[in-house]
Amino acid sequence: MINKKNKVEILSPAGDMERLIAAVEFGADAVYLAGKEFGMRTSPINFSSEDLKKGIEYAHSKNVRVYLTCNTLPRNDELDRLPTFIVTAKNAGIDAFIVSDIGVLSIIKKYAPNVDIHISTQAGIVNYATANAFYKMGAKRIVLARELSLDEISTIRKNIPSDLEIETFVHGA
C-alpha cells in the first residue's frame, strides 16, 4: 500500500506529440519534454511553442502533468532569449520546469514565480546538503543522480524537509 506521502508518480519522456499522447494513453501521471531550446533532450523534433500549448492542453484534459526541461547551461548570448521562453511556457500552462543551472533557476523564479521547479539529474545531487540547498532556493523536487543506491537515497530522504519531493530514475540510462 502506498500512502499519499509516498505516492509514486509514473513519469515518461515525450519527444513529440505522438509520444506524449502514447504516454498519456498508457497511464503516465506526468510527462517531461523539451522545447526547441534550453533543454538537453536532443530530439530533432521536440516541441514548438504552439505544440507545447496543444500538448499541455491535451495532457491536462486527461489530468496528466507536463514538465519542461530547461536544463542546459545557457551561454551569455542565450540569456536574452530565456525570459521569453519561460513566459511562453508559463502561459501555456506548464506544471514545472526541470533545471540544473542556478542562474536559470533564479530567472524562472523571476518570470514564472508560481510554477514549480524541479532540479534535474544533470545537477548531480548525491547528498542531502545539496538537496537542502536547492530546497532553500525554491525547488519543489530534486531528481537524484542516477548512480545512488537505495541506502543513499534513504539517507537523503531522512535529512531533507518532508515536502521536498524526490525523483529517481528506475529504468533507462
Side-chain angles (χ1 to χ4, degrees):
M1 182 172 102
I2 298 173
N3 63 29
K4 185 175 180 182
K5 181 178 175 186
N6 295 321
K7 180 169 182 345
V8 173
E9 175 185 68
I10 304 298
L11 176 59
S12 177
D16 58 28
M17 187 65 81
E18 180 181 355
R19 286 165 183 80
L20 182 147
I21 291 169
V24 170
E25 294 302 316
F26 282 97
D29 299 305
V31 296
Y32 66 97
L33 48 82
K36 293 293 185 184
E37 56 182 343
F38 301 113
M40 292 186 78
R41 298 198 51 79
T42 58
S43 166
I45 300 171
N46 285 327
F47 283 78
S48 67
S49 298
E50 299 79 28
D51 286 341
L52 180 64
K53 184 168 177 45
K54 289 176 191 172
I56 291 169
E57 288 172 357
Y58 173 77
H60 285 176
S61 76
K62 305 286 187 172
N63 295 313
V64 172
R65 292 171 299 285
V66 180
Y67 309 144
L68 181 65
T69 60
C70 195
N71 57 349
T72 60
L73 304 175
R75 303 289 190 182
N76 293 315
D77 62 336
E78 297 172 296
L79 287 178
D80 288 344
R81 296 190 310 275
L82 188 56
T84 300
F85 179 83
I86 292 165
V87 169
T88 298
K90 175 190 76 164
N91 291 343
I94 203 72
D95 295 293
F97 289 98
I98 302 172
V99 304
S100 57
D101 182 88
I102 60 173
V104 171
L105 187 153
S106 69
I107 293 169
I108 289 171
K109 287 178 66 173
K110 178 178 179 179
Y111 289 95
N114 297 318
V115 178
D116 289 343
I117 295 173
H118 299 178
I119 304 302
S120 172
T121 190
Q122 302 300 328
I125 300 171
V126 296
N127 62 65
Y128 59 82
T130 304
N132 283 319
F134 277 119
Y135 178 76
K136 289 176 185 168
M137 287 184 234
K140 179 180 179 181
R141 177 183 295 183
I142 53 170
V143 185
L144 298 176
R146 298 173 186 190
E147 56 271 62
L148 292 177
S149 69
L150 289 175
D151 286 340
E152 291 170 309
I153 294 169
S154 178
T155 299
I156 292 170
R157 174 77 273 160
K158 290 175 186 170
N159 290 282
I160 63 174
S162 61
D163 62 332
L164 178 57
E165 298 174 2
I166 290 179
E167 179 181 323
T168 188
F169 282 76
V170 296
H171 185 270

